[in-house]
Structures are given as C-alpha cells and as structure tokens.
Amino acid sequence: MWPGDNGWGLAEGNPSDLQEIRQLLLNGKNKIADSIFVDKFLTKNITRSHQTMGDLWISFEDAAYSDYKRTLDMNNAAVRSSYKINGAAVKQEVIASFPDDVLAIHYTTESPNGLTASISMSRPDDQGHATAKTFIDEGILVMQGEVTQYEGQFKEKKDPITQGVKFDTRVQVKHKGGSIRYTANSIDLKNVKEVTIYLVANTSYYHSDYIEKSKKQ
C-alpha cells in the first residue's frame, strides 16, 4: 500500500523548457542544459515507499520445532509444511483463493495435547505514530489503519506524509477440539486438534466501503 503524495503533481517543465534544453545541447552547452532539466523535469530524492499491510503472527506456546519440510504445489496453488512441535507431528496448508478473495491457513496435529497458540496482527509504528489498531468484533480479529510516512521527502526537503491508503483486515478462526479465547487484540487457541484461519483484507484504494466489504467476505 502507498502513503499519500501531499498533492505533489507533475513536474513544472513545459514544451518551451524542453525546446530550450534541446537547443542548448545542440550548442554544446551540456551543463546548462542538464541544470535546467533537473530544475524543471526532475523531482529528486522523493522518499515515499510502498508498504506491506502488516504481519499475521501465529505464536505456539513453549514450542520446540524439528523435522521441518516445506513444499509448493503449483497445480493446486497450495503451500504445505510439516514439522514436529515438541515431538508431535503438525501439518500446515496455506491457499490463496481468488474466487473467495481470502487467504486460508489450515493446521492439524497428531499431538494428544493439540495445539496451543496465540493469533494476532500488527503493523510497525511510523516514527512514534501508530499506523493501525486491532480489536475483536463479534468473534473476528480486526486490524484497521492508514499508511503514513513521517520521514517523507520531496525535492530534497522534508515533507511528512500523514495520510494514505486506509485498510481493514479480518481474521476468523474455526476449530475442532480444545477451545478458543478472545482477548483485546488476539485469538488464543488451547489444545485444539484442527484449526482453519481465514484472512480477508480490503483498502480504500479500491473501495470506498472497504470495511463493509471485509465484513461481507
């Protein structure tokens, strides 16, 4: 996602400036032509970066991992992983469904104790300014925020970007065995035998009603 651009617009150069530059080059005055080109047509040292929406964290309790394997199934668009947690086999499968516009993560385990983990989302602060908030909405973990860039620059001058693309990301969990508990900003699993994590996300770049669209998904 992108932060805003503070209404920078296009460079101020026009056809007459371009003609002057061409004539200077033909006359061998390359340095003068270059300085006019830089002044009229370049916006040097713009600091404005493309950013990720955030991070999804799945933290297993007191986990010791071993025997890790990972495969990519191109035919079925699935990433599969297998490993052991504290000696018990765990399988993970991840798919991104285009028709449903959803990312799904499925876990199963052979452990008699099941899986105990905490699911959360976060996004780094921007120079001390929060860029997202997380909360629980009717059994769904939600992260909402807006992209900024307080270290933004334009034409080699500081130009903080305090607004940008807004987003809504939602995580829902379905499980078998064990239990789940909702905290202020996480979904906690305890002794579950099987769990599927569904993630959807929408932004203001594509939809004015991006929050409602996420809710429907």
Side-chain angles (χ1 to χ4, degrees):
M1 302 180 295
W2 281 101
D5 64 5
N6 288 346
W8 294 331
L10 298 174
E12 62 186 37
N14 56 48
S16 62
D17 296 319
L18 184 59
Q19 183 58 39
E20 180 184 3
I21 291 169
R22 286 171 173 162
Q23 191 60 52
L24 287 167
L25 291 171
L26 290 172
N27 294 339
K29 299 180 179 180
N30 295 352
K31 288 185 178 181
I32 299 175
D34 181 69
S35 64
I36 296 175
F37 179 77
V38 168
D39 182 54
K40 297 292 185 179
F41 290 98
L42 292 186
T43 49
K44 295 192 302 179
N45 292 344
I46 296 177
T47 301
R48 175 175 175 255
S49 59
H50 192 235
Q51 301 177 24
T52 61
M53 182 172 288
D55 295 295
L56 172 67
W57 302 99
I58 305 169
S59 303
F60 293 99
E61 181 181 76
D62 298 327
Y65 298 90
S66 62
D67 303 310
Y68 183 87
K69 295 180 181 179
R70 184 173 184 269
T71 60
L72 173 62
D73 182 347
M74 295 294 289
N75 292 327
N76 295 294
V79 177
R80 298 186 177 94
S81 303
S82 64
Y83 42 89
K84 291 181 179 179
I85 295 181
N86 299 331
V90 176
K91 292 183 179 180
Q92 177 198 65
E93 183 173 12
V94 183
I95 63 168
S97 170
F98 175 75
D100 302 301
D101 201 8
V102 64
L103 181 74
I105 307 170
H106 184 233
Y107 285 97
T108 57
T109 181
E110 297 178 0
S111 170
N113 297 321
L115 294 171
T116 296
S118 179
I119 301 168
S120 61
M121 292 186 289
S122 67
R123 198 168 189 280
D125 288 349
D126 181 5
Q127 299 299 305
H129 300 270
T131 61
K133 61 179 180 179
T134 58
F135 55 93
I136 299 293
D137 179 19
E138 297 182 354
I140 294 175
L141 177 63
V142 182
M143 182 171 70
Q144 293 176 346
E146 182 174 7
V147 181
T148 60
Q149 192 152 11
Y150 280 84
E151 285 190 332
Q153 292 187 22
F154 183 68
K155 289 189 174 181
E156 300 181 313
K157 296 180 180 179
K158 290 184 178 180
D159 196 355
I161 305 169
T162 60
Q163 48 77 38
V165 172
K166 298 178 182 179
F167 60 91
D168 180 275
T169 309
R170 292 174 183 258
V171 169
Q172 185 177 38
V173 171
K174 294 185 178 181
H175 73 102
K176 294 181 181 179
S179 62
I180 61 174
R181 181 176 67 94
Y182 302 97
T183 71
N185 51 21
S186 71
I187 301 175
D188 293 343
L189 314 175
K190 186 173 180 60
N191 305 125
V192 300
K193 296 293 291 182
E194 184 175 344
V195 61
T196 305
I197 302 166
Y198 300 96
L199 185 148
V200 300
N202 286 281
T203 74
S204 61
Y205 185 85
Y206 292 105
H207 309 284
S208 59
D209 60 342
Y210 63 98
I211 294 177
E212 290 303 317
K213 187 169 178 62
S214 288
K215 289 181 178 180
K216 289 179 181 179
Q217 286 175 241

